[in-house]
Amino acid sequence: MRLKVITLMSCLYLCISCSLNEDAGTDTREITNEEAITDFEGTFVQEDRVGKPTINTMIILTNRKDAFNTTVTGDLQATFATEIEDRIIALSPAYNNATDTNILGMSAAELAALLANDVLTISLTGTTTFFDGTNVLTGRNLEDDVIDTELLLIFGGEDGTENPQLSSDNVNSNDRPFRSTFPYVPKPW
């Protein structure tokens, strides 16, 4: 059995599709929650890494995405922080000067170190949010606009107002309302 494990932005689902023998092309039905397999025998493959989604979609170069996706989490900073810093400086006019910082007071190197550790952090006490103006990366709610937050940190400059055309994706809500009960994400179309 091969299980595709994808870290989704909502972090509610670890497995989005699986089959009993996908590689051999047999029994490719989708397994529902009622049929969930609870053992972990088989081959598991990490397909994507999106704890902080803008990093993989915008900052990591296309020819490096596979390496980024499969790098052991503990090695991400050592392997990618300098590369991420170089891309932030190359892409963002808010980091034109060596002394430039973002709204959190972070230099390009400090922001790159934070973003290179592409995991979803969570605070066990206090507010759970990706960014609310005060709390930063203390978790993530489904309604948190993670892309806008990351764009603001990269392009917004010291006060968050630099480069407004680059600091938002202009997607201000989900296309369908979230459910009030588990699994919270909307039902598919």
Side-chain angles (χ1 to χ4, degrees), residues 42-149:
T43 303
F44 297 87
V45 178
Q46 180 164 318
E47 297 280 341
D48 203 354
R49 176 185 295 280
V50 289
K52 298 177 183 103
T54 302
I55 306 318
N56 205 357
T57 57
M58 183 181 84
I59 300 291
I60 301 299
L61 295 172
T62 302
N63 66 337
R64 297 280 287 150
K65 287 186 187 301
D66 286 342
F68 184 75
N69 287 332
T70 58
T71 297
V72 175
T73 302
D75 295 337
L76 283 170
Q77 283 192 349
T79 307
F80 289 95
T82 301
E83 185 175 325
I84 290 171
E85 178 185 359
D86 292 345
R87 289 285 292 161
I88 288 171
I89 291 169
L91 291 171
S92 178
Y95 284 106
N96 280 343
N97 302 307
T99 58
D100 283 337
T101 62
N102 65 16
I103 195 168
L104 300 176
M106 300 174 93
S107 67
E110 292 167 326
L111 179 60
L114 173 72
L115 298 177
N117 190 23
D118 192 22
V119 296
L120 183 60
T121 54
I122 186 164
S123 172
L124 299 177
T125 61
T127 304
T128 299
T129 184
F130 202 71
F131 178 69
D132 65 5
T134 304
N135 300 286
V136 182
L137 302 176
T138 58
R140 186 184 305 168
N141 294 299
L142 285 175
E143 59 276 348
D144 287 348
D145 196 339
V146 298
I147 299 296
D148 274 9
T149 297

Side-chain angles (χ1 to χ4, degrees), residues 10 12-13 142 177-179 181-187:
S10 68
L12 291 177
Y13 295 111
L142 285 175
F178 296 110
R179 292 189 255 180
T181 59
F182 187 83
Y184 304 109
V185 293
K187 292 182 180 180

Side-chain angles (χ1 to χ4, degrees), residues 1-8 13-22 27-33 37 43-45 47:
M1 172 189 358
R2 180 175 171 200
L3 180 65
K4 291 181 182 175
V5 179
I6 299 177
T7 308
L8 296 176
Y13 295 111
L14 293 178
C15 169
I16 62 165
S17 70
C18 53
S19 68
L20 297 178
N21 193 346
E22 182 179 86
D27 196 5
T28 57
R29 66 183 162 81
E30 293 296 312
I31 296 175
T32 65
N33 286 341
I37 297 171
T43 303
F44 297 87
V45 178
E47 297 280 341

